[in-house]
Amino acid sequence: NRVIYSLVSGFLFAFAHLSTNFLSGTFVLKDLVYVLPYMSLGTSFALMVYDSKSTLTSMIFHSIHNTFVGLLLIFTYYLGVAV
């Protein structure tokens, strides 16, 4: 089932990204707020894989997303916005 596949994959994607804080001992309860954005990204990537029958599409979009987030972090850091 396409919906179950995408939701389970989205949850696993979110868990994989949040587990680093949990395993390093820096996890706090407020980190759970990131479940929704990570899960929505993971669900979107899973739908890309399901529809295209290839992981290449989701890998490309994941790279594009990470590039934009990285640039945003760099710009906010140099503008003095980041804490």
Side-chain angles (χ1 to χ4, degrees):
N1 188 336
R2 181 178 188 246
V3 174
I4 292 173
Y5 168 78
S6 61
L7 289 176
V8 169
S9 295
F11 176 77
L12 292 173
F13 184 85
F15 178 76
H17 282 78
L18 292 175
S19 66
T20 55
N21 289 353
F22 186 72
L23 294 174
S24 67
T26 61
F27 182 82
V28 291
L29 199 55
K30 68 180 179 178
D31 287 341
L32 289 178
V33 77
Y34 295 111
V35 168
L36 187 61
Y38 281 136
M39 192 166 174
S40 63
L41 271 173
T43 302
S44 299
F45 296 150
L47 289 172
M48 288 179 202
V49 170
Y50 191 87
D51 291 340
S52 69
K53 306 291 187 247
S54 171
T55 58
L56 183 62
T57 308
S58 64
M59 288 170 57
I60 290 170
F61 277 93
H62 192 236
S63 299
I64 292 169
H65 174 266
N66 286 350
T67 300
F68 282 123
V69 169
L71 289 173
L72 182 63
L73 287 171
I74 290 169
F75 290 142
T76 56
Y77 176 78
Y78 283 111
L79 290 174
V81 178
V83 179

